């Protein structure tokens, strides 16, 4: 409807409170829906290549431009997702801290923090992705913090030595971890990552 997109979400069915009784029809459970709306944005980019550059450059300049546009698209989508996520109020802090102002240099994400987040999501019925896994996104610095977590290192050394050798995040605690360099890094109350524009 114009620039407004509408999604229909089917809500979970309520659970029955009593077993069936022989000869009695069970109570019906209505299938309910809710509407989720969003306003879509239009994004685009144009690459300019002069006729002289096209004729004199020895490599395939149009293929290079296509490749760079593809990378730009992926980074744009990543940046816009991070901006939306930064607008939420549900935040978990390392070492059971209660706010950003209470964090200290040694407060890095670890297995216990991930356990807490995953158990909360599962308790709230969060849907999973392929193979029952959740998806987590972290920046390269948190990736390195996690890769030195002793529990993670011990488990990885038995199951996936390639993860340790390449510094890949991989799967951990029921979460398939992915790296993004567009996750905002917050230092002293300001955004320190130039990839995210607010």
């Amino acid at each position: 409807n114009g620039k407004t997109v509408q999604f229909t979400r089917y809500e979970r069915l309520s659970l029955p409170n009593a077993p069936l009784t022989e000869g009695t029809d069970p109570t019906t459970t209505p299938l309910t829906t809710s509407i989720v709306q969003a306003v879509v944005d239009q994004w685009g980019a144009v690459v300019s290549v002069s006729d002289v550059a096209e004729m004199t450059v020895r490599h395939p300049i149009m293929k290079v431009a296509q490749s760079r546009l593809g990378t730009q698209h992926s980074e744009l989508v990543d940046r816009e997702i991070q901006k939306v996520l930064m607008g939420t109020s549900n935040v978990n802090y390392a070492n059971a801290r209660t706010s950003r102002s209470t964090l200290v240099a040694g407060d890095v994400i670890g297995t216990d923090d991930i356990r807490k987040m995953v158990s909360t999501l599962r308790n709230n019925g969060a849907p999973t992705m392929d193979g029952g896994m959740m998806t987590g996104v972290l920046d390269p610095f948190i990736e390195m913090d996690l890769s030195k977590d002793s529990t993670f290192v011990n488990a990885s050394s038995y199951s996936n030595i390639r993860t340790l050798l390449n510094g890949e995040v991989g799967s951990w605690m029921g979460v398939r971890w992915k790296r993004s360099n567009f996750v905002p890094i917050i230092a002293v109350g300001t955004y320190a990552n130039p990839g995210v524009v607010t």
Side-chain angles (χ1 to χ4, degrees), residues 15 21-22 38 77 87 100 115-116 123 129 139 179 193:
L15 301 178
T21 302
E22 186 178 353
V77 171
R100 287 188 179 102
R115 284 183 175 129
K116 178 181 175 184
N123 187 60
M129 305 300 279
D139 68 43
R179 178 190 320 110
N193 188 339

Side-chain angles (χ1 to χ4, degrees), residues 76-97:
L76 172 65
V77 171
D78 192 0
R79 184 194 71 191
E80 292 304 301
I81 290 172
Q82 300 304 330
K83 285 172 62 176
V84 170
L85 291 175
M86 287 302 294
T88 64
S89 58
N90 189 3
V91 180
N92 291 295
Y93 300 98
N95 290 337
R97 302 291 185 192

Side-chain angles (χ1 to χ4, degrees), residues 39 61-62 91 104 111 121 129 144 161 165 184-186 197:
V39 177
I61 192 73
M62 296 308 289
V91 180
V104 296
T111 298
L121 288 168
M129 305 300 279
M144 292 300 105
I161 193 68
L165 292 175
I185 299 169
I186 299 175
V197 181

Side-chain angles (χ1 to χ4, degrees), residues 11-74:
E11 302 295 348
R12 291 174 179 259
L13 296 175
S14 58
L15 301 178
N17 293 318
L20 295 174
T21 302
E22 186 178 353
T24 304
D25 292 337
T27 304
T28 61
T29 304
L31 188 61
T32 58
T33 61
S34 61
I35 302 300
V36 179
Q37 291 185 330
V39 177
V40 296
D41 290 327
Q42 184 178 14
W43 294 85
V46 176
V47 173
S48 60
V49 178
S50 71
D51 56 344
V52 174
E54 191 172 353
M55 289 186 294
T56 58
V57 174
R58 301 186 73 155
H59 44 270
I61 192 73
M62 296 308 289
K63 288 187 177 181
V64 171
Q66 286 178 320
S67 172
R68 291 295 158 264
L69 283 168
T71 301
Q72 181 194 50
H73 169 266
S74 299

